[in-house]
């Protein structure tokens, strides 16, 4: 059971600003059950109340969960004075929802980015105590070898006093001609530029980076870069169990 002011429920459901929905309410366009309700501060039980706007029953959703295939060139933030942000790519149908990205990908990193307004889930997924695994595909300048796999497994010292948790590095292919390697990396934390700094520490450079999964949630590869879709119930259940 969740109790909420009628004006908050309506503006949170996309019917306009608080000011706009107050005037809708006062003009008699809202019914609760069979009765017109003109009090914006009326407390509604969002689980049971039957709320109608202009005769149409509305359903209230508290939380939204979107998967984005983040393209390169946009910032994982809700606002930036200079650059386009991931929020700019979210369809206007969600503009009434205070979405934020769960964790950050660098401006040039692509791939899975979860966006939600569920602060508790975000907190759980990002908590350093939980060690939620994140899988990346990367293209590396240089020949990645067994010594790098071993170094990642031992944990890499990124700065004095901080060594990463053991990370899983797998070589997908090495190209002698171009001098590049393709790898998959699983890390269990989310330090700033973590994968780039781990490769730098072993004398190599990340040329391209894409996140493929976060916990049990996998990037839907049919989503083109920049596209967004809501999580399915199964995907959400996986995350809620993390
Ligand atoms: N590690 C990085 O270096 N960059 C990212 O965007 C994510 C992980």
């Amino acid at each position: 059971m969740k109790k909420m002011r009628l004006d908050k429920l309506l503006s949170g459901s996309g019917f306009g600003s608080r000011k706009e929905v107050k005037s809708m309410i006062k003009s008699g366009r809202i019914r609760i059950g069979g009765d017109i309700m003109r009090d914006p501060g009326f407390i509604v039980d969002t689980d049971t109340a039957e709320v109608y706007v202009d005769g149409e029953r509305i359903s209230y959703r508290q939380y939204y969960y979107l998967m984005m295939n983040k393209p390169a060139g946009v910032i994982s933030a809700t606002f930036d004075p200079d650059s386009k942000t991931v929020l700019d790519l979210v369809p206007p149908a969600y503009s009434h929802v205070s979405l934020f990205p769960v964790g950050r990908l660098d401006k040039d990193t692509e791939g899975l980015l979860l966006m939600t307004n569920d602060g508790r889930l975000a907190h759980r997924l990002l908590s350093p105590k939980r060690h939620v695994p994140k899988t990346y595909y990367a293209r590396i300048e240089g020949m990645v070898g067994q010594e790098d796999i071993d170094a990642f497994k031992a944990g890499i010292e990124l700065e004095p006093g901080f060594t990463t948790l053991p990370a899983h590095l797998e070589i997908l292919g090495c190209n002698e001609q171009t001098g590049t390697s393709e790898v998959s990396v699983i890390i269990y934390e989310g330090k700033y530029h973590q994968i780039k700094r781990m490769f730098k520490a072993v004398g190599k450079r990340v040329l391209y980076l894409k996140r493929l999964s976060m916990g049990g949630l996998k990037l839907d590869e049919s989503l083109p870069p920049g596209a967004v879709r809501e999580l399915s119930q199964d995907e959400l259940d996986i995350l809620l169990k993390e």
Side-chain angles (χ1 to χ4, degrees):
M1 182 160 89
K2 183 153 193 331
K3 305 220 161 165
M4 189 182 282
R5 284 176 60 107
L6 178 60
D7 55 358
K8 188 166 181 214
L9 181 144
L10 290 174
S11 77
S13 302
F15 287 95
S17 65
R18 277 286 186 101
K19 196 166 159 217
E20 286 163 345
V21 300
K22 269 185 184 147
S23 106
M24 284 169 71
I25 297 166
K26 288 190 177 146
S27 65
R29 291 169 57 189
I30 315 301
R31 257 195 309 118
I32 298 187
D35 302 320
I36 288 178
M37 172 51 67
R38 293 178 194 270
D39 173 9
F42 181 79
I43 300 295
V44 181
D45 176 343
T46 58
D47 288 341
T48 56
E50 290 176 16
V51 181
Y52 297 82
V53 176
D54 297 331
E56 290 235 6
R57 173 95 187 258
I58 68 154
S59 61
Y60 172 73
R61 267 175 69 188
Q62 188 176 12
Y63 294 128
Y64 289 78
Y65 305 90
L66 304 180
M67 172 190 295
M68 172 180 290
N69 183 0
K70 179 192 170 296
V74 297
I75 292 188
S76 305
T78 49
F79 172 76
D80 188 272
D82 306 313
S83 293
K84 205 164 160 175
T85 73
V86 289
L87 219 54
D88 295 323
L89 299 175
V90 173
Y94 300 99
S95 60
H96 64 287
V97 188
S98 304
L99 293 167
F100 56 86
V102 179
R104 282 170 178 258
L105 292 177
D106 297 338
K107 189 172 180 183
D108 59 354
T109 302
E110 300 183 3
L112 176 64
L113 189 67
L114 174 67
M115 304 195 62
T116 185
N117 58 343
D118 181 347
R120 277 176 59 184
L121 178 74
H123 185 75
R124 279 224 322 275
L125 290 172
L126 297 175
S127 162
K129 289 191 205 111
R130 286 188 180 254
H131 308 317
V132 172
K134 282 152 285 228
T135 308
Y136 292 83
Y137 163 84
R139 231 176 6 253
I140 307 296
E141 191 176 62
M143 294 289 113
V144 177
Q146 186 60 43
E147 65 287 0
D148 301 315
I149 295 178
D150 295 342
F152 274 48
K153 196 169 171 188
I156 302 263
E157 186 173 4
L158 291 184
E159 57 203 59
F162 180 76
T163 299
T164 69
L165 288 171
H168 182 80
L169 172 60
E170 190 182 330
I171 301 169
L172 304 173
C174 288
N175 186 328
E176 300 267 354
Q177 250 113 56
T178 57
T180 59
S181 311
E182 288 182 71
V183 299
S184 117
V185 190
I186 307 176
I187 56 172
Y188 296 85
E189 337 129 280
K191 297 284 175 211
Y192 183 63
H193 290 336
Q194 180 161 339
I195 291 185
K196 290 175 185 161
R197 287 160 73 204
M198 289 173 83
F199 277 102
K200 192 164 178 218
V202 296
K204 298 187 172 66
R205 193 161 72 93
V206 173
L207 300 172
Y208 172 82
L209 190 61
K210 178 177 182 179
R211 182 154 65 191
L212 302 178
S213 72
M214 184 177 197
L217 181 65
K218 291 191 171 55
L219 175 67
D220 176 347
E221 294 280 357
S222 73
L223 270 187
V228 173
R229 72 152 166 82
E230 291 201 24
L231 296 194
S232 67
Q233 190 59 50
D234 285 351
E235 289 168 330
L236 181 56
D237 289 345
I238 289 171
L239 278 188
L240 294 172
K241 275 195 228 119
E242 279 304 331

